């Protein structure tokens, strides 16, 4: 059965037919698509039913702001409950000491009480509309009855937001080094600055990229301690896994980095093997991550901004 173009309603030139990248049922002629006509390269097109819903910048910024408010609220709730638990425990110790049941010295919270304290510290119910945000993990250091305050070690791990904020192609200028075009999905980091959203909203469908020696573009701020999960602005995941995996392997092997000049900044893309070991894999596989830095001038330092 011949495919009919949804726009012109004609079979036309069969070799110019492209199908929806998702359902692969709807079809359009290349010359019926909006924008410049592409006759040779692969075209990414989604029909009306399959087209990803675009999230406005205002909605994204509101989600990030709400996430930060929820984080502070959860932390305050946790500290309050732990203080109450510690005070109750200290009172019990004093009462037992008066009765001669407890010896003087340092006392650690029992395993049962510690478990109870951690359960008390579960995150408060969230009314955030962003269901993709992963609550932070809170680690409780050892507490003794002589402590006036409960020392807390709080760490929020960066996570990729589930809904991609950009999908498109990396087009490499030097095709001899790697495959000419690589399809990618970009996911915002949960710790990224709102400025990242503003810049990604200006991305075209095709980004021109260069492969450069990593040492030539390595940000000064990474030279002392190296990057961490907090350095990540964007996570990049594959549309075609085999092509993507080859690109990642090549970048790791040759110690190179991807540079993309965007509207107002420079996007540098590195392999996840450069991150601390606990952040080197996502769903058991290596991936790519990006960081933005200001466009270089004679007076600017090579510092990354995420």
């Amino acid at each position: 059965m011949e495919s009919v173009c949804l726009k012109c309603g004609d079979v036309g030139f069969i070799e110019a037919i492209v199908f929806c990248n998702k359902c692969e049922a709807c079809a359009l002629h290349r010359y019926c698509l909006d924008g410049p006509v592409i006759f040779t390269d692969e075209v990414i097109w989604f029909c009306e039913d399959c087209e990803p819903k675009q999230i406005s910048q205002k909605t994204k910024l509101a989600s990030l702001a709400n996430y930060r408010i929820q984080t502070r609220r959860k932390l305050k709730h946790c500290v309050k409950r732990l203080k109450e638990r510690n005070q109750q425990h200290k009172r019990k110790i004093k009462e037992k000491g008066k009765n001669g049941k407890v010896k003087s010295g340092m006392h650690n919270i029992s395993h049962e009480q510690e478990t109870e304290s951690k359960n008390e510290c579960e995150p408060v119910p969230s009314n955030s509309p962003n269901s993709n945000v992963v609550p932070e993990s809170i680690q409780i250091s050892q507490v003794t009855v002589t402590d006036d305050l409960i020392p807390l070690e709080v760490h929020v791990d960066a996570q990729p937001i589930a809904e991609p904020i950009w999908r498109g192609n990396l087009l490499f200028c030097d095709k001899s080094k790697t495959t000419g075009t690589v399809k990618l999905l970009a996911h915002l980091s949960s710790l990224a600055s709102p400025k990242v959203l503003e810049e990604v909203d200006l991305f075209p469908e095709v980004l021109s990229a260069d492969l450069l020696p990593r040492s030539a573009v390595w940000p000064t701020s990474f030279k002392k301690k190296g990057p961490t999960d907090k350095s990540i602005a964007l996570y990049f995941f594959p549309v075609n896994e085999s092509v993507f995996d080859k690109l990642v392997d090549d970048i790791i092997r040759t110690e190179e980095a991807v540079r993309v000049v965007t509207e107002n900044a420079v996007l540098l893309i590195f392999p996840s093997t450069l991150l601390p070991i606990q952040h080197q894999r996502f769903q058991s596989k290596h991936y790519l991550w990006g960081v933005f830095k200001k466009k270089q001038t004679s007076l600017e330092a090579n510092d990354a901004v995420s």
Side-chain angles (χ1 to χ4, degrees):
M1 180 177 179
E2 295 181 334
S3 299
V4 177
C5 176
L6 292 178
K7 191 167 185 178
C8 67
D10 190 10
V11 175
F13 296 98
I14 299 176
E15 60 273 13
I17 287 285
V18 292
F19 292 91
C20 170
N21 282 56
K22 187 173 182 181
C23 67
E24 297 183 352
C26 299
L28 277 182
H29 291 118
R30 289 175 180 265
Y31 47 80
C32 289
L33 289 167
D34 295 331
V37 180
I38 302 173
F39 287 104
T40 55
D41 294 338
E42 185 177 2
V43 174
I44 297 176
W45 169 73
F46 297 94
C47 66
E48 186 176 346
D49 293 333
C50 298
E51 185 174 8
K53 295 181 180 178
Q54 297 296 325
I55 302 175
S56 67
Q57 179 179 348
K58 184 176 180 181
T59 303
K60 295 173 186 174
L61 292 174
S63 298
L64 278 178
N66 193 52
Y67 166 68
R68 291 180 180 129
I69 293 172
Q70 290 297 323
T71 299
R72 288 195 292 268
R73 185 184 300 171
K74 294 171 188 176
L75 182 57
K76 288 180 181 179
H77 172 77
C78 179
V79 172
K80 180 181 177 182
R81 296 301 301 159
L82 284 174
K83 283 183 178 180
E84 292 175 356
R85 173 62 58 185
N86 193 42
Q87 289 173 357
Q88 292 174 4
H89 179 70
K90 287 166 70 175
R91 285 196 295 269
K92 290 179 182 179
I93 294 296
K94 288 180 180 179
E95 291 174 0
K96 291 181 180 179
K98 290 179 181 180
N99 296 330
K101 294 182 180 180
V102 178
K103 298 179 182 180
S104 61
M106 305 290 286
H107 301 275
N108 290 333
I109 297 179
S110 67
H111 175 72
E112 181 180 353
Q113 290 168 328
E114 185 179 355
T115 303
E116 206 172 311
S117 296
K118 290 181 179 178
N119 291 335
E120 294 271 356
C121 191
E122 290 295 327
V124 295
S126 170
N127 56 3
S128 169
N130 186 1
S131 60
N132 297 322
V133 174
V134 180
E136 71 280 12
S137 58
I138 301 179
Q139 300 175 352
I140 306 172
S141 59
Q142 190 179 36
V143 181
T144 65
V145 294
T146 57
D147 294 332
D148 293 328
L149 294 175
I150 298 176
L152 290 176
E153 182 184 342
V154 180
H155 178 69
V156 181
D157 285 333
Q159 296 287 339
I161 302 298
E163 183 70 21
I165 61 171
W166 177 82
R167 64 175 71 226
N169 295 308
L170 279 184
L171 177 62
F172 288 92
C173 299
D174 187 355
K175 295 185 179 181
S176 63
K177 288 188 176 182
T178 184
T179 52
T181 304
V182 179
K183 291 184 179 180
L184 291 177
L185 298 175
H187 295 253
L188 185 72
S189 167
S190 58
L191 301 182
S193 163
K195 291 183 178 180
V196 175
L197 290 173
E198 298 173 6
E199 192 63 23
V200 175
D201 280 342
L202 302 176
F203 278 13
E205 185 177 328
V206 178
L207 293 173
S208 297
D210 294 309
L211 276 174
L212 300 174
R214 188 187 306 157
S215 57
V217 296
W218 193 242
T220 305
S221 56
F222 292 170
K223 291 181 179 178
K224 292 183 179 180
K225 297 183 179 179
T228 67
D229 61 314
K230 294 180 177 63
S231 306
I232 301 172
L234 295 172
Y235 292 82
F236 290 97
F237 298 121
V239 174
N240 185 319
E241 290 193 6
S242 61
V243 176
F244 180 83
D245 291 345
K246 183 180 184 304
L247 173 63
V248 175
D249 292 341
D250 288 345
I251 291 176
I252 294 173
R253 177 177 51 82
T254 58
E255 296 187 354
E256 291 180 314
V258 179
R259 184 187 66 176
V260 177
V261 179
T262 62
E263 188 74 21
N264 302 305
V266 175
L267 173 63
L268 300 176
I269 301 176
F270 301 105
S272 59
T273 51
L274 303 177
L275 296 169
I277 191 168
Q278 66 271 28
H279 302 294
Q280 289 185 3
R281 294 179 183 272
F282 186 81
Q283 295 181 353
S284 76
K285 299 194 70 174
H286 293 307
Y287 55 92
L288 296 177
W289 59 277
V291 63
F292 287 95
K293 77 180 187 72
K294 296 178 181 178
K295 285 186 176 179
Q296 198 75 10
T297 67
S298 58
L299 300 178
E300 285 178 340
N302 184 24
D303 288 328
V305 178
S306 64

